[in-house]
Amino acid sequence: MWLTQPLLRLKLRRRGAQEPGYLLAMDEHFGHYASVAPPFDGNTIWVHAVSLGETRAAAVLVAGLRARIPGMRLLLTHGTATGRAEGTQLLLAGDLQAWQPWDTPGAVQRFLAHFQPRIGILMETEIWPNLVAGCAQRGVPLVLANARLSEQSRRKTLKLAWLARPAYRALSAVWAQTQDDCARLASLGAPVQGVFGNLKFDATPDAEQLALGQAWRQRFARPVVMLASSREGEEAALLQVLASFGPLALVNTAHTATISVVHEVQWLIVPRHPQRFESVAALIEQQGFALLRRSSWPDGPLPRLAPADAPSTRPTVWLGDSLGEMALYYGLADVALLGGSFEPLGGQNLIEAAACGCPVVMGPHTFNFADAAEQALAAGAAQRVADMTQGVQAAAKLAVDAIALAGAQHAADAFARSQCGASERLTQAVVQLLADHPISKKSLHVNSHGQPPT
Protein backbone atom coordinates (compact mmCIF):
# COMPACT_ATOMS: atom_id res chain seq x y z
CA MET A 1 0.00 0.00 0.00
CA TRP A 2 2.85 2.38 0.80
CA LEU A 3 4.62 1.64 -2.48
CA THR A 4 1.50 2.24 -4.59
CA GLN A 5 0.99 5.84 -3.41
CA PRO A 6 2.60 7.37 -6.55
CA LEU A 7 0.26 5.23 -8.67
CA LEU A 8 -2.69 6.54 -6.68
CA ARG A 9 -1.66 10.13 -7.42
CA LEU A 10 -1.40 9.29 -11.11
CA LYS A 11 -4.82 7.62 -11.09
CA LEU A 12 -6.39 10.62 -9.35
CA ARG A 13 -4.91 13.02 -11.91
CA ARG A 14 -6.19 10.90 -14.79
CA ARG A 15 -9.68 10.68 -13.32
CA GLY A 16 -9.54 14.36 -12.52
CA ALA A 17 -9.18 15.13 -16.22
CA GLN A 18 -12.77 13.88 -16.65
CA GLU A 19 -14.11 14.60 -13.14
CA PRO A 20 -12.39 17.66 -11.63
CA GLY A 21 -13.66 16.69 -8.19
CA TYR A 22 -10.83 14.17 -7.92
CA LEU A 23 -8.27 17.00 -8.06
CA LEU A 24 -9.69 18.61 -4.93
CA ALA A 25 -7.51 18.39 -1.79
CA MET A 26 -5.45 15.45 -3.08
CA ASP A 27 -3.14 15.51 -0.05
CA GLU A 28 -6.06 14.40 2.13
CA HIS A 29 -5.75 10.94 0.58
CA PHE A 30 -2.37 10.67 2.29
CA GLY A 31 -3.37 11.98 5.71
CA HIS A 32 -2.51 15.68 5.32
CA TYR A 33 -5.30 18.06 6.28
CA ALA A 34 -3.84 21.56 6.24
CA SER A 35 -7.12 23.00 4.91
CA VAL A 36 -9.38 21.20 7.42
CA ALA A 37 -9.41 22.54 10.97
CA PRO A 38 -9.29 19.72 13.54
CA PRO A 39 -12.22 19.39 15.94
CA PHE A 40 -11.49 19.83 19.64
CA ASP A 41 -14.81 19.05 21.27
CA GLY A 42 -14.59 15.24 21.37
CA ASN A 43 -18.03 15.00 19.79
CA THR A 44 -17.14 13.97 16.24
CA ILE A 45 -19.14 11.15 14.63
CA TRP A 46 -17.27 9.87 11.59
CA VAL A 47 -19.28 8.35 8.74
CA HIS A 48 -17.50 6.88 5.72
CA ALA A 49 -19.63 6.70 2.56
CA VAL A 50 -17.39 5.72 -0.32
CA SER A 51 -19.61 6.62 -3.28
CA LEU A 52 -22.92 8.14 -4.33
CA GLY A 53 -25.20 5.30 -3.25
CA GLU A 54 -23.60 4.92 0.17
CA THR A 55 -23.76 8.69 0.72
CA ARG A 56 -27.49 8.75 0.02
CA ALA A 57 -27.99 5.88 2.45
CA ALA A 58 -25.83 7.66 5.02
CA ALA A 59 -28.10 10.71 4.81
CA VAL A 60 -30.89 8.74 6.47
CA LEU A 61 -28.65 7.53 9.30
CA VAL A 62 -27.10 10.98 9.82
CA ALA A 63 -30.53 12.54 10.23
CA GLY A 64 -31.42 9.96 12.89
CA LEU A 65 -28.14 10.48 14.75
CA ARG A 66 -28.52 14.27 14.78
CA ALA A 67 -31.90 13.84 16.45
CA ARG A 68 -30.47 11.54 19.14
CA ILE A 69 -27.04 13.13 19.79
CA PRO A 70 -27.33 16.87 20.46
CA GLY A 71 -24.22 18.81 19.50
CA MET A 72 -22.97 16.08 17.21
CA ARG A 73 -20.25 17.13 14.76
CA LEU A 74 -20.28 15.09 11.55
CA LEU A 75 -17.08 14.02 9.82
CA LEU A 76 -17.98 12.68 6.39
CA THR A 77 -15.38 10.87 4.26
CA HIS A 78 -15.59 9.52 0.71
CA GLY A 79 -13.66 7.67 -1.95
CA THR A 80 -15.29 9.04 -5.13
CA ALA A 81 -15.94 12.51 -6.50
CA THR A 82 -19.67 11.87 -6.91
CA GLY A 83 -19.93 10.72 -3.30
CA ARG A 84 -18.11 13.80 -2.05
CA ALA A 85 -20.26 16.15 -4.13
CA GLU A 86 -23.43 14.52 -2.82
CA GLY A 87 -22.09 14.62 0.74
CA THR A 88 -21.86 18.41 0.79
CA GLN A 89 -25.65 18.47 1.06
CA LEU A 90 -25.47 16.68 4.44
CA LEU A 91 -23.12 19.18 6.10
CA LEU A 92 -24.21 21.70 8.72
CA ALA A 93 -22.18 24.47 10.33
CA GLY A 94 -19.16 22.94 12.08
CA ASP A 95 -19.28 19.66 10.15
CA LEU A 96 -16.20 18.36 8.35
CA GLN A 97 -15.62 16.57 5.05
CA ALA A 98 -12.48 14.86 3.74
CA TRP A 99 -11.23 12.07 1.53
CA GLN A 100 -10.82 8.58 2.99
CA PRO A 101 -7.15 8.09 3.95
CA TRP A 102 -5.18 5.71 1.75
CA ASP A 103 -4.72 2.51 3.72
CA THR A 104 -1.16 2.92 4.98
CA PRO A 105 -0.35 3.02 8.70
CA GLY A 106 1.01 6.55 8.41
CA ALA A 107 -1.98 8.04 6.58
CA VAL A 108 -4.43 6.27 8.90
CA GLN A 109 -2.66 7.46 12.05
CA ARG A 110 -2.51 11.05 10.79
CA PHE A 111 -6.22 10.90 9.95
CA LEU A 112 -7.19 9.59 13.38
CA ALA A 113 -4.89 11.99 15.22
CA HIS A 114 -6.23 14.98 13.31
CA PHE A 115 -9.97 14.30 13.57
CA GLN A 116 -10.10 12.27 16.81
CA PRO A 117 -13.47 10.64 16.04
CA ARG A 118 -15.42 9.09 18.89
CA ILE A 119 -16.76 6.41 16.54
CA GLY A 120 -16.31 5.37 12.92
CA ILE A 121 -19.30 4.17 10.89
CA LEU A 122 -18.40 2.47 7.61
CA MET A 123 -21.32 2.24 5.18
CA GLU A 124 -22.11 -1.09 3.51
CA THR A 125 -18.86 -2.65 2.25
CA GLU A 126 -15.71 -0.64 3.00
CA ILE A 127 -13.18 -2.67 5.01
CA TRP A 128 -9.50 -1.60 4.96
CA PRO A 129 -7.09 -3.58 7.16
CA ASN A 130 -4.83 -0.70 8.27
CA LEU A 131 -7.81 1.52 8.97
CA VAL A 132 -9.41 -1.15 11.14
CA ALA A 133 -6.13 -1.83 12.95
CA GLY A 134 -5.50 1.87 13.52
CA CYS A 135 -8.93 2.38 15.08
CA ALA A 136 -8.41 -0.65 17.34
CA GLN A 137 -5.04 0.70 18.51
CA ARG A 138 -6.51 4.09 19.39
CA GLY A 139 -9.64 2.66 21.02
CA VAL A 140 -12.00 4.12 18.42
CA PRO A 141 -15.01 1.81 17.95
CA LEU A 142 -15.41 1.05 14.25
CA VAL A 143 -18.63 -0.47 12.90
CA LEU A 144 -19.98 -1.62 9.54
CA ALA A 145 -23.54 -0.35 9.09
CA ASN A 146 -26.10 -1.31 6.44
CA ALA A 147 -23.62 -4.08 5.70
CA ARG A 148 -23.88 -6.22 2.60
CA LEU A 149 -21.65 -8.86 1.05
CA SER A 150 -22.44 -10.79 -2.11
CA GLU A 151 -21.38 -14.40 -2.49
CA GLN A 152 -19.06 -13.38 -5.30
CA SER A 153 -17.37 -10.78 -3.07
CA ARG A 154 -17.12 -13.31 -0.24
CA ARG A 155 -15.25 -15.74 -2.50
CA LYS A 156 -12.84 -13.02 -3.61
CA THR A 157 -12.28 -11.95 -0.01
CA LEU A 158 -11.50 -15.52 1.06
CA LYS A 159 -8.52 -15.51 -1.33
CA LEU A 160 -6.99 -13.01 1.10
CA ALA A 161 -8.44 -14.60 4.23
CA TRP A 162 -5.18 -14.16 6.16
CA LEU A 163 -5.65 -10.40 5.78
CA ALA A 164 -9.44 -10.11 5.70
CA ARG A 165 -10.41 -12.23 8.71
CA PRO A 166 -8.41 -10.22 11.28
CA ALA A 167 -9.87 -7.00 9.84
CA TYR A 168 -13.45 -8.22 10.05
CA ARG A 169 -12.91 -9.67 13.55
CA ALA A 170 -11.51 -6.35 14.83
CA LEU A 171 -14.69 -4.42 14.04
CA SER A 172 -16.72 -3.38 17.07
CA ALA A 173 -20.04 -4.32 15.47
CA VAL A 174 -21.62 -5.22 12.13
CA TRP A 175 -25.28 -4.65 11.30
CA ALA A 176 -26.34 -6.52 8.17
CA GLN A 177 -29.05 -5.79 5.64
CA THR A 178 -30.31 -9.38 5.27
CA GLN A 179 -29.93 -12.82 6.80
CA ASP A 180 -27.87 -13.94 3.80
CA ASP A 181 -25.53 -10.97 4.25
CA CYS A 182 -25.32 -11.87 7.93
CA ALA A 183 -24.26 -15.45 7.18
CA ARG A 184 -21.65 -14.41 4.62
CA LEU A 185 -20.17 -11.72 6.89
CA ALA A 186 -20.12 -14.08 9.88
CA SER A 187 -18.21 -16.63 7.80
CA LEU A 188 -15.38 -14.06 7.60
CA GLY A 189 -15.37 -13.57 11.34
CA ALA A 190 -17.40 -10.35 11.43
CA PRO A 191 -19.18 -9.68 14.76
CA VAL A 192 -22.68 -9.40 13.31
CA GLN A 193 -25.01 -8.09 16.02
CA GLY A 194 -28.21 -7.58 14.08
CA VAL A 195 -30.06 -7.78 10.77
CA PHE A 196 -31.76 -4.42 10.36
CA GLY A 197 -32.79 -4.20 6.70
CA ASN A 198 -31.61 -1.72 4.10
CA LEU A 199 -31.33 2.00 4.93
CA LYS A 200 -32.07 2.92 1.35
CA PHE A 201 -35.70 1.92 1.81
CA ASP A 202 -35.99 4.74 4.38
CA ALA A 203 -34.63 7.36 2.00
CA THR A 204 -37.39 9.62 0.70
CA PRO A 205 -37.14 10.56 -2.99
CA ASP A 206 -36.85 14.26 -3.67
CA ALA A 207 -40.53 15.23 -3.77
CA GLU A 208 -39.99 18.30 -5.95
CA GLN A 209 -37.99 16.35 -8.51
CA LEU A 210 -40.46 13.47 -8.55
CA ALA A 211 -43.42 15.81 -9.05
CA LEU A 212 -41.63 17.67 -11.85
CA GLY A 213 -40.80 14.44 -13.67
CA GLN A 214 -44.39 13.25 -13.36
CA ALA A 215 -45.66 16.59 -14.66
CA TRP A 216 -43.38 16.33 -17.69
CA ARG A 217 -44.60 12.79 -18.28
CA GLN A 218 -48.20 14.00 -18.39
CA ARG A 219 -47.30 16.45 -21.15
CA PHE A 220 -45.83 13.70 -23.32
CA ALA A 221 -48.15 11.36 -25.18
CA ARG A 222 -45.94 8.30 -25.53
CA PRO A 223 -44.83 5.98 -22.73
CA VAL A 224 -41.25 6.45 -21.52
CA VAL A 225 -38.81 3.63 -20.72
CA MET A 226 -35.49 4.45 -19.06
CA LEU A 227 -32.23 2.52 -18.98
CA ALA A 228 -31.34 3.61 -15.44
CA SER A 229 -27.77 3.96 -14.14
CA SER A 230 -26.41 2.22 -17.21
CA ARG A 231 -22.88 0.88 -17.35
CA GLU A 232 -20.45 0.54 -20.23
CA GLY A 233 -21.68 -1.90 -22.87
CA GLU A 234 -25.34 -1.65 -21.89
CA GLU A 235 -26.11 1.51 -23.86
CA ALA A 236 -24.65 -0.03 -27.01
CA ALA A 237 -26.67 -3.21 -26.44
CA LEU A 238 -29.90 -1.23 -26.01
CA LEU A 239 -29.33 0.90 -29.10
CA GLN A 240 -28.43 -2.12 -31.21
CA VAL A 241 -31.62 -3.87 -30.13
CA LEU A 242 -33.73 -0.81 -30.87
CA ALA A 243 -32.11 -0.35 -34.26
CA SER A 244 -32.63 -4.01 -35.17
CA PHE A 245 -36.28 -4.30 -34.27
CA GLY A 246 -37.95 -2.33 -37.04
CA PRO A 247 -41.62 -3.31 -37.17
CA LEU A 248 -42.04 -5.34 -34.03
CA ALA A 249 -44.54 -7.93 -33.23
CA LEU A 250 -47.87 -7.03 -32.10
CA VAL A 251 -47.84 -4.48 -29.39
CA ASN A 252 -51.36 -3.56 -28.35
CA THR A 253 -51.82 0.20 -28.39
CA ALA A 254 -54.72 2.61 -28.33
CA HIS A 255 -54.70 2.44 -32.13
CA THR A 256 -54.35 -1.36 -32.20
CA ALA A 257 -51.53 -0.95 -34.71
CA THR A 258 -48.50 -3.08 -35.30
CA ILE A 259 -45.64 -0.62 -35.05
CA SER A 260 -42.01 -0.47 -34.03
CA VAL A 261 -41.07 -0.47 -30.37
CA VAL A 262 -38.60 2.25 -31.27
CA HIS A 263 -41.49 4.45 -32.42
CA GLU A 264 -44.07 3.40 -29.85
CA VAL A 265 -41.91 4.04 -26.78
CA GLN A 266 -39.72 6.99 -25.91
CA TRP A 267 -36.34 5.69 -24.75
CA LEU A 268 -34.29 7.48 -22.11
CA ILE A 269 -30.70 6.56 -21.12
CA VAL A 270 -29.22 7.78 -17.83
CA PRO A 271 -25.58 6.64 -17.48
CA ARG A 272 -24.29 5.74 -14.04
CA HIS A 273 -21.08 7.76 -14.30
CA PRO A 274 -20.99 11.41 -15.46
CA GLN A 275 -17.63 11.04 -17.19
CA ARG A 276 -19.39 8.85 -19.77
CA PHE A 277 -22.09 11.37 -20.76
CA GLU A 278 -20.20 12.54 -23.85
CA SER A 279 -19.28 9.07 -25.07
CA VAL A 280 -22.87 7.86 -24.68
CA ALA A 281 -24.15 10.94 -26.52
CA ALA A 282 -21.77 10.15 -29.40
CA LEU A 283 -22.85 6.50 -29.36
CA ILE A 284 -26.54 7.44 -29.70
CA GLU A 285 -25.84 9.48 -32.80
CA GLN A 286 -23.46 6.89 -34.26
CA GLN A 287 -26.26 4.33 -34.07
CA GLY A 288 -28.48 6.58 -36.21
CA PHE A 289 -30.74 8.05 -33.53
CA ALA A 290 -31.52 11.70 -32.95
CA LEU A 291 -30.23 12.92 -29.59
CA LEU A 292 -32.07 15.08 -27.05
CA ARG A 293 -30.07 15.83 -23.90
CA ARG A 294 -31.47 16.68 -20.50
CA SER A 295 -29.11 19.67 -20.39
CA SER A 296 -30.91 21.10 -23.43
CA TRP A 297 -34.45 20.95 -22.01
CA PRO A 298 -34.63 22.79 -18.68
CA ASP A 299 -38.42 23.09 -19.02
CA GLY A 300 -38.98 19.50 -20.02
CA PRO A 301 -38.60 17.37 -23.15
CA LEU A 302 -40.65 18.47 -26.14
CA PRO A 303 -42.64 15.98 -28.25
CA ARG A 304 -41.73 15.46 -31.88
CA LEU A 305 -43.21 17.87 -34.37
CA ALA A 306 -43.29 15.22 -37.08
CA PRO A 307 -45.45 12.06 -36.86
CA ALA A 308 -43.71 9.34 -34.87
CA ASP A 309 -43.87 6.85 -37.73
CA ALA A 310 -42.80 9.22 -40.50
CA PRO A 311 -40.05 7.53 -42.55
CA SER A 312 -37.97 10.71 -42.65
CA THR A 313 -37.95 11.11 -38.90
CA ARG A 314 -35.12 9.49 -36.99
CA PRO A 315 -36.25 8.05 -33.65
CA THR A 316 -35.08 10.26 -30.80
CA VAL A 317 -33.31 8.92 -27.72
CA TRP A 318 -33.19 11.10 -24.63
CA LEU A 319 -29.97 11.29 -22.63
CA GLY A 320 -30.07 12.07 -18.91
CA ASP A 321 -26.79 13.99 -18.68
CA SER A 322 -27.24 15.44 -15.20
CA LEU A 323 -26.30 14.45 -11.66
CA GLY A 324 -28.54 14.14 -8.63
CA GLU A 325 -31.82 13.95 -10.56
CA MET A 326 -32.74 10.27 -10.44
CA ALA A 327 -36.07 11.04 -8.75
CA LEU A 328 -36.93 13.32 -11.67
CA TYR A 329 -36.01 10.61 -14.18
CA TYR A 330 -38.00 7.95 -12.33
CA GLY A 331 -40.98 10.33 -12.24
CA LEU A 332 -40.65 10.82 -15.98
CA ALA A 333 -40.31 7.11 -16.79
CA ASP A 334 -43.10 4.54 -16.82
CA VAL A 335 -40.71 1.57 -16.62
CA ALA A 336 -36.97 1.27 -15.91
CA LEU A 337 -34.42 -1.19 -17.26
CA LEU A 338 -31.98 -1.78 -14.39
CA GLY A 339 -28.45 -0.73 -15.26
CA GLY A 340 -25.57 -3.00 -14.30
CA SER A 341 -27.78 -6.08 -14.59
CA PHE A 342 -27.41 -6.67 -18.34
CA GLU A 343 -23.63 -6.99 -18.04
CA PRO A 344 -21.97 -9.16 -15.35
CA LEU A 345 -21.62 -6.20 -12.97
CA GLY A 346 -24.05 -7.17 -10.23
CA GLY A 347 -26.78 -4.63 -10.90
CA GLN A 348 -27.55 -1.22 -9.48
CA ASN A 349 -29.85 -0.39 -6.61
CA LEU A 350 -33.54 -0.79 -7.56
CA ILE A 351 -34.87 0.63 -4.29
CA GLU A 352 -35.05 4.24 -5.46
CA ALA A 353 -37.04 3.16 -8.50
CA ALA A 354 -39.52 1.33 -6.28
CA ALA A 355 -39.81 4.30 -3.91
CA CYS A 356 -40.71 6.46 -6.91
CA GLY A 357 -43.36 3.95 -8.01
CA CYS A 358 -41.41 2.93 -11.13
CA PRO A 359 -41.45 -0.82 -11.91
CA VAL A 360 -38.18 -2.40 -13.02
CA VAL A 361 -37.12 -4.88 -15.68
CA MET A 362 -33.75 -6.37 -14.75
CA GLY A 363 -31.25 -8.58 -16.47
CA PRO A 364 -29.66 -11.77 -15.12
CA HIS A 365 -26.86 -10.11 -13.08
CA THR A 366 -28.13 -8.76 -9.75
CA PHE A 367 -25.73 -10.36 -7.28
CA ASN A 368 -24.87 -7.03 -5.61
CA PHE A 369 -28.48 -6.62 -4.54
CA ALA A 370 -29.66 -10.22 -4.69
CA ASP A 371 -32.11 -10.10 -1.79
CA ALA A 372 -33.73 -6.82 -2.80
CA ALA A 373 -34.05 -8.11 -6.36
CA GLU A 374 -35.74 -11.34 -5.27
CA GLN A 375 -38.07 -9.49 -2.92
CA ALA A 376 -39.03 -7.06 -5.69
CA LEU A 377 -39.74 -9.99 -8.01
CA ALA A 378 -41.96 -11.65 -5.41
CA ALA A 379 -43.84 -8.40 -4.80
CA GLY A 380 -44.52 -7.79 -8.49
CA ALA A 381 -42.37 -4.64 -8.52
CA ALA A 382 -39.84 -6.14 -10.95
CA GLN A 383 -39.44 -8.61 -13.79
CA ARG A 384 -36.34 -10.59 -14.69
CA VAL A 385 -35.24 -11.29 -18.28
CA ALA A 386 -32.32 -13.13 -19.84
CA ASP A 387 -30.85 -10.37 -22.00
CA MET A 388 -31.34 -6.88 -23.42
CA THR A 389 -33.55 -8.06 -26.29
CA GLN A 390 -36.02 -9.58 -23.85
CA GLY A 391 -35.66 -6.52 -21.64
CA VAL A 392 -36.71 -4.17 -24.45
CA GLN A 393 -39.70 -6.34 -25.29
CA ALA A 394 -40.82 -6.74 -21.67
CA ALA A 395 -40.40 -3.05 -20.81
CA ALA A 396 -42.22 -1.87 -23.94
CA LYS A 397 -45.05 -4.33 -23.45
CA LEU A 398 -45.55 -3.19 -19.86
CA ALA A 399 -45.27 0.50 -20.71
CA VAL A 400 -48.07 0.43 -23.30
CA ASP A 401 -50.45 -1.73 -21.22
CA ALA A 402 -52.22 0.78 -18.97
CA ILE A 403 -53.80 -1.80 -16.67
CA ALA A 404 -50.67 -3.91 -16.19
CA LEU A 405 -48.57 -0.77 -15.73
CA ALA A 406 -50.85 0.62 -13.03
CA GLY A 407 -50.64 -2.69 -11.15
CA ALA A 408 -46.85 -2.80 -11.38
CA GLN A 409 -46.53 0.82 -10.23
CA HIS A 410 -48.74 0.11 -7.22
CA ALA A 411 -46.71 -3.01 -6.42
CA ALA A 412 -43.45 -1.02 -6.59
CA ASP A 413 -44.74 1.62 -4.19
CA ALA A 414 -46.13 -0.98 -1.76
CA PHE A 415 -42.88 -2.96 -1.87
CA ALA A 416 -40.80 0.11 -0.98
CA ARG A 417 -43.10 1.05 1.91
CA SER A 418 -43.10 -2.48 3.34
CA GLN A 419 -39.32 -2.52 3.79
CA CYS A 420 -38.89 0.65 5.88
CA GLY A 421 -37.52 0.75 9.44
CA ALA A 422 -33.77 0.18 9.18
CA SER A 423 -32.96 3.79 10.08
CA GLU A 424 -34.50 3.64 13.54
CA ARG A 425 -32.89 0.29 14.31
CA LEU A 426 -29.44 1.44 13.18
CA THR A 427 -29.68 4.76 15.01
CA GLN A 428 -30.55 3.02 18.27
CA ALA A 429 -27.70 0.53 17.83
CA VAL A 430 -25.14 3.30 17.25
CA VAL A 431 -26.34 5.35 20.22
CA GLN A 432 -26.29 2.28 22.45
CA LEU A 433 -22.74 1.44 21.38
CA LEU A 434 -21.67 4.98 22.22
CA ALA A 435 -23.30 4.66 25.62
CA ASP A 436 -21.52 1.37 26.27
CA HIS A 437 -18.12 2.65 25.22
CA PRO A 438 -16.36 4.43 28.12
CA ILE A 439 -14.65 7.13 26.07
CA SER A 440 -17.64 7.86 23.89
CA LYS A 441 -19.98 7.79 26.88
CA LYS A 442 -17.99 10.54 28.56
CA SER A 443 -17.55 12.71 25.48
CA LEU A 444 -21.05 12.35 24.08
CA HIS A 445 -22.90 12.64 27.40
CA VAL A 446 -25.44 9.87 26.82
CA ASN A 447 -26.81 7.63 29.51
CA SER A 448 -27.25 3.88 29.50
CA HIS A 449 -30.50 4.20 27.58
CA GLY A 450 -28.91 6.14 24.72
CA GLN A 451 -30.68 9.38 25.67
CA PRO A 452 -29.12 12.74 26.56
CA PRO A 453 -29.37 13.57 30.29
CA THR A 454 -32.24 15.78 31.40
Side-chain angles (χ1 to χ4, degrees):
M1 296 299 288
W2 186 83
L3 289 171
T4 57
Q5 289 178 95
L7 297 179
L8 174 62
R9 287 188 181 274
L10 179 61
K11 178 182 178 181
L12 292 172
R13 291 192 185 99
R14 287 179 174 174
R15 295 201 68 173
Q18 294 182 311
E19 292 183 79
Y22 281 102
L23 302 178
L24 176 68
M26 286 179 60
D27 283 346
E28 291 179 3
H29 291 280
F30 307 97
H32 303 293
Y33 306 97
S35 61
V36 185
F40 296 104
D41 55 8
N43 203 25
T44 300
I45 306 299
W46 163 38
V47 177
H48 175 61
V50 61
S51 192
L52 184 63
E54 291 85 353
T55 304
R56 289 175 175 168
V60 183
L61 178 59
V62 167
L65 293 175
R66 288 195 196 278
R68 297 290 296 276
I69 307 175
M72 169 187 130
R73 180 195 295 264
L74 173 66
L75 166 61
L76 195 57
T77 60
H78 311 277
T80 68
T82 52
R84 183 160 180 155
E86 180 77 10
T88 60
Q89 302 178 42
L90 306 185
L91 304 179
L92 301 180
D95 289 342
L96 305 167
Q97 189 178 35
W99 291 113
Q100 166 197 357
W102 189 237
D103 202 48
T104 62
V108 167
Q109 290 302 329
R110 287 190 292 273
F111 170 83
L112 295 173
H114 185 87
F115 292 109
Q116 302 177 37
R118 302 317 328 153
I119 188 173
I121 304 172
L122 310 176
M123 298 300 298
E124 299 197 9
T125 60
E126 284 286 292
I127 299 296
W128 293 89
N130 282 313
L131 188 63
V132 176
C135 287
Q137 290 166 8
R138 295 182 68 94
V140 177
L142 188 65
V143 303
L144 186 63
N146 210 42
R148 61 182 174 89
L149 184 70
S150 70
E151 180 57 29
Q152 183 173 346
S153 294
R154 190 185 79 90
R155 292 194 193 104
K156 290 181 179 179
T157 303
L158 284 173
K159 294 179 181 179
L160 292 173
W162 60 272
L163 186 63
R165 288 187 187 277
Y168 275 99
R169 282 198 299 264
L171 294 170
S172 298
V174 174
W175 300 302
Q177 292 184 16
T178 70
Q179 291 291 347
D180 287 341
D181 291 317
C182 172
R184 288 188 284 263
L185 288 160
S187 73
L188 296 175
V192 183
Q193 297 183 4
V195 177
F196 292 163
N198 193 332
L199 269 177
K200 293 175 182 175
F201 281 109
D202 289 351
T204 303
D206 187 300
E208 185 176 341
Q209 285 189 19
L210 184 59
L212 181 60
Q214 291 170 340
W216 286 353
R217 172 64 187 89
Q218 292 302 313
R219 288 161 40 188
F220 199 76
R222 291 186 295 153
V224 177
V225 175
M226 169 173 60
L227 175 55
S229 297
S230 59
R231 305 284 292 276
E232 188 169 2
E234 293 181 320
E235 302 94 353
L238 172 65
L239 295 169
Q240 289 167 7
V241 170
L242 297 182
S244 70
F245 263 120
L248 192 72
L250 302 172
V251 176
N252 293 325
T253 70
H255 304 91
T256 63
T258 301
I259 59 176
S260 167
V261 163
V262 176
H263 290 166
E264 173 65 6
V265 172
Q266 176 59 58
W267 298 92
L268 165 64
I269 298 175
V270 182
R272 171 71 172 173
H273 299 118
Q275 66 267 29
R276 300 186 56 246
F277 288 162
E278 296 304 321
S279 62
V280 175
L283 183 63
I284 291 170
E285 295 187 311
Q286 289 167 7
Q287 290 291 328
F289 295 91
L291 171 67
L292 187 62
R293 302 173 69 136
R294 162 70 179 99
S295 55
S296 71
W297 34 275
D299 297 322
L302 298 175
R304 299 174 191 270
L305 297 178
D309 55 354
S312 61
T313 302
R314 289 190 301 163
T316 299
V317 172
W318 294 346
L319 174 64
D321 58 344
S322 64
L323 280 175
E325 290 193 319
M326 285 309 296
L328 180 146
Y329 292 126
Y330 282 124
L332 179 59
D334 294 283
V335 182
L337 293 164
L338 184 66
S341 69
F342 292 93
E343 293 289 328
L345 301 169
Q348 300 300 145
N349 173 27
L350 56 76
I351 294 171
E352 187 173 9
C356 293
C358 183
V360 166
V361 175
M362 53 193 179
H365 308 290
T366 55
F367 53 80
N368 283 337
F369 303 93
D371 292 279
E374 293 304 315
Q375 291 168 5
L377 281 171
Q383 301 179 40
R384 189 185 296 281
V385 295
D387 54 33
M388 186 64 78
T389 300
Q390 291 186 14
V392 167
Q393 293 174 310
K397 181 178 179 181
L398 179 59
V400 300
D401 186 333
I403 295 176
L405 179 61
Q409 289 171 334
H410 175 76
D413 181 71
F415 165 65
R417 292 177 184 275
S418 71
Q419 301 294 318
C420 293
S423 175
E424 176 59 30
R425 292 186 281 270
L426 270 172
T427 299
Q428 176 58 35
V430 171
V431 172
Q432 187 62 55
L433 181 63
L434 291 170
D436 293 340
H437 192 276
I439 298 176
S440 296
K441 183 174 180 179
K442 179 179 179 181
S443 62
L444 294 176
H445 306 293
V446 294
N447 62 28
S448 61
H449 298 289
Q451 300 289 347
T454 57

